[in-house]
Amino acid sequence: MSETPKSPEHRRIDTLIETVQQHPTDFLKDERRLTAVKWFEYRFLSPRAANRLFMRTYQETFRRKFAQEVDHERASTVNGVSAMAVKRDARQRSQLAAARQRADRLGISYPCYIEAAFDFALRRGDKRKFLPLPSELHGNPRAAPLFAQYVKQRWQEQVSNGLVRVEHPAYLIENYRGMAAQDDFRRFILDHVEQASIPLHRAILKFTYERKQIPAELFKSIVPQERFEQALAIVASDLQHQPIDDASEPRSPTRLWPTCFGMHYTHEPSSAECSACPQVLGCKKVGDLVLRKAAAQAGVPDPAGDYKRRMDRERQQRCRNRKREEKDAARFSTRPNTSTSLHP
């Protein structure tokens, strides 16, 4: 008999239980802070979903750059990082997650960050022999300021040219709940319309009726009333000749859970992020559940706090196992000394 499929809420909780066991406390707390600055598309992804998206983007970029710079024929056989290795190896998992958080800290999309990181590495004068691994995307400490400047410039060019788009359903008008990310996104769009000098009627048609993300009334804040009314009249005329599809996104509570939602370690009522979040009570409730289940599975009351100690114990155990295997191999491979006769 087949099992009943889990609801989106239960699946998200399962990923949170896994996350608080596989990362230290500082990493989890950073997720709360990064929720306020990362690119809008990622602010409602779970940490595991964000890590997987970052990894897939890295793999795709690695193959493309490998084909361009190394060997086109072998490009389909390489990926730069193995999903299985990330799953099994805590060190590789931590490096990938740290690289993803660095991209979040800059507030840009993963494709832009990774593409720019590869180009930055390939253009350096030391003639790299290898494409950068996730832990090397940000460059060495000396080059870090130049790299950050380079990446931000690339990102600004994409934004200015209208090459970025946010499609997460959390930003639909019908899903607005007064969350900080939603308000930040609306301000971002209004600023973009002003800075790019987009005709107001086109902006309203695009963001209000086509993408259904910004209420038309909000555009009043950037233009005089008369100009706003003229733009609405043009939009009304355009809609008569070009009807807009009214299809909406399926609703699921988890689509409105910020990245930091429900991980216990991210919940801090006095923080700027939590104090302004309308979901803070639900976050605490889910966080308490996640901690109980994660602690039971890990066998410790504080899985994230105990993470480094567990990793040290596992590392020491692997070292002991390796030495034991080497000793056993040496003992069984040693041949008897036959340089002297066994008989007088």
Side-chain angles (χ1 to χ4, degrees), residues 125-261:
D126 58 0
K127 302 296 182 182
R128 295 180 59 96
K129 296 180 180 180
F130 304 100
L131 295 174
L133 296 172
S135 60
E136 300 170 331
L137 288 174
H138 61 297
N140 60 49
R142 288 185 303 170
L146 292 175
F147 170 71
Q149 181 180 359
Y150 177 77
V151 172
K152 289 178 180 178
Q153 182 179 353
R154 289 274 293 263
W155 176 242
Q156 189 56 50
E157 290 172 356
Q158 291 192 13
V159 173
S160 299
N161 294 329
L163 301 178
V164 299
R165 178 170 178 170
V166 175
E167 298 182 343
H168 196 284
Y171 300 102
L172 293 175
I173 295 173
E174 65 186 67
N175 291 331
Y176 180 74
R177 299 293 185 275
M179 303 177 71
Q182 296 171 325
D183 289 335
D184 288 347
F185 173 71
R186 291 182 171 190
R187 281 191 292 270
F188 172 82
I189 294 299
L190 294 176
D191 290 343
H192 173 65
V193 170
E194 278 194 296
Q195 294 170 7
S197 299
I198 300 175
L200 187 60
H201 68 280
R202 292 183 181 176
I204 294 175
L205 189 64
K206 176 187 288 187
F207 295 109
T208 300
Y209 292 96
E210 294 178 358
R211 300 187 184 178
K212 302 179 176 64
Q213 295 174 326
I214 311 295
E217 304 80 49
L218 293 186
F219 290 99
K220 289 181 181 179
S221 64
I222 61 174
V223 296
Q225 178 67 24
E226 182 179 355
R227 185 179 167 192
F228 175 72
E229 292 176 354
Q230 290 173 348
L232 285 183
I234 297 175
V235 170
S237 176
D238 289 345
L239 291 177
Q240 289 180 351
H241 302 90
Q242 184 182 356
I244 302 297
D245 184 13
D246 289 331
S248 60
E249 287 277 342
R251 296 185 180 183
S252 169
T254 61
R255 304 305 295 272
L256 294 178
W257 286 5
T259 299
C260 55
F261 185 91

Side-chain angles (χ1 to χ4, degrees), residues 29 32-33 260 264-277 280 283-284:
K29 289 184 176 180
R32 185 189 70 237
R33 305 181 187 103
C260 55
H264 175 74
Y265 297 91
T266 58
H267 184 263
E268 181 55 59
S270 62
S271 68
E273 298 83 13
C274 293
S275 61
C277 182
V280 65
C283 177
K284 183 180 187 309

